[in-house]
């Protein structure tokens, strides 16, 4: 089993602890929000996916690192993008290089900046961007569908 670094976040403060991790089990402590390698340079990541996203780096079938992003349903959301601070820059760049074909990356649903205010500004600029995971309007359920009646 690989020893990983878990970063627990509460608000903007974070602390790291060594805890075993495996690809089949995931983090040993399910309440742990983020796990990432120690890095001195961090970025702020914005994510438009409602429930957030686990960014995983897997090597030889074993989970090596995980960072959990806040989603648009998070209390830490700006203009429909969940904001996650203090993500190690080297981790995010590695994950991004491995997942650049992912539609969430290609369509701008996940992006990062060195400064939180820059990530928030880009999120505000992209406020109208659709993820395809927005809730349905019950009065307009979609093409060829009609709302249910009480009858």
């Amino acid at each position: 089993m690989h020893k990983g670094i878990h970063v627990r976040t509460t608000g903007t403060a974070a602390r790291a602890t060594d805890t075993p991790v495996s690809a089949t089990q995931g983090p040993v402590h399910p309440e742990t929000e983020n796990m990432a390698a120690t890095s001195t340079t961090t970025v702020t990541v914005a994510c438009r996916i409602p429930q957030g996203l686990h960014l995983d780096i897997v090597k030889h079938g074993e989970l090596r690192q995980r960072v959990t992003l806040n989603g648009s349903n998070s209390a830490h959301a700006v203009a429909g993008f969940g904001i996650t601070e203090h993500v190690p820059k080297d981790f995010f760049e590695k994950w991004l290089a491995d997942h650049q074909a992912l539609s969430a990356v290609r369509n701008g649903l996940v992006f990062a900046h060195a400064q939180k205010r820059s990530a928030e500004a880009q999120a505000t600029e992209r406020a109208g961007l659709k993820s395809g995971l927005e809730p349905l309007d019950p009065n307009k359920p979609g093409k060829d569908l009609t709302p249910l009646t009480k009858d």
Side-chain angles (χ1 to χ4, degrees):
M1 189 163 359
H2 172 73
K3 285 203 108 160
I5 303 289
H6 289 266
V7 179
R8 291 187 184 175
T9 60
T10 53
T12 58
R15 64 182 185 271
T17 59
D18 286 329
T19 308
V21 170
S22 76
T24 55
Q25 289 179 314
V28 172
H29 301 292
E31 73 279 0
T32 301
E33 292 179 12
N34 292 321
M35 177 188 72
T38 303
S39 174
T40 57
T41 305
T42 63
V43 293
T44 298
V45 182
C47 175
R48 184 81 175 185
I49 298 169
Q51 300 304 323
L53 186 64
H54 290 304
L55 307 184
D56 292 338
I57 294 182
V58 177
K59 188 172 182 180
H60 304 297
E62 186 175 314
L63 178 64
R64 297 295 178 141
Q65 296 175 320
R66 169 175 278 176
V67 172
T68 301
L69 301 181
N70 292 318
S72 59
N73 290 342
S74 167
H76 304 285
V78 173
F81 284 84
I83 303 296
T84 306
E85 296 181 76
H86 310 295
V87 175
K89 181 180 179 182
D90 55 347
F91 171 89
F92 186 74
E93 288 176 348
K94 168 84 170 107
W95 181 87
L96 195 59
D98 291 345
H99 296 88
Q100 54 188 289
L102 187 67
S103 63
V105 173
R106 284 193 335 253
N107 295 326
L109 301 177
V110 176
F111 59 86
H113 284 279
Q115 301 290 324
K116 179 182 178 185
R117 67 179 171 266
S118 297
E120 290 174 340
Q122 186 171 352
T124 301
E125 290 172 6
R126 294 182 176 185
L129 183 66
K130 300 292 183 191
S131 68
L133 301 172
E134 292 79 20
L136 293 175
D137 179 350
N139 296 321
K140 301 176 192 171
K143 182 180 177 185
D144 299 326
L145 299 174
T146 57
L148 292 175
T149 62
K150 292 184 181 183
D151 296 337

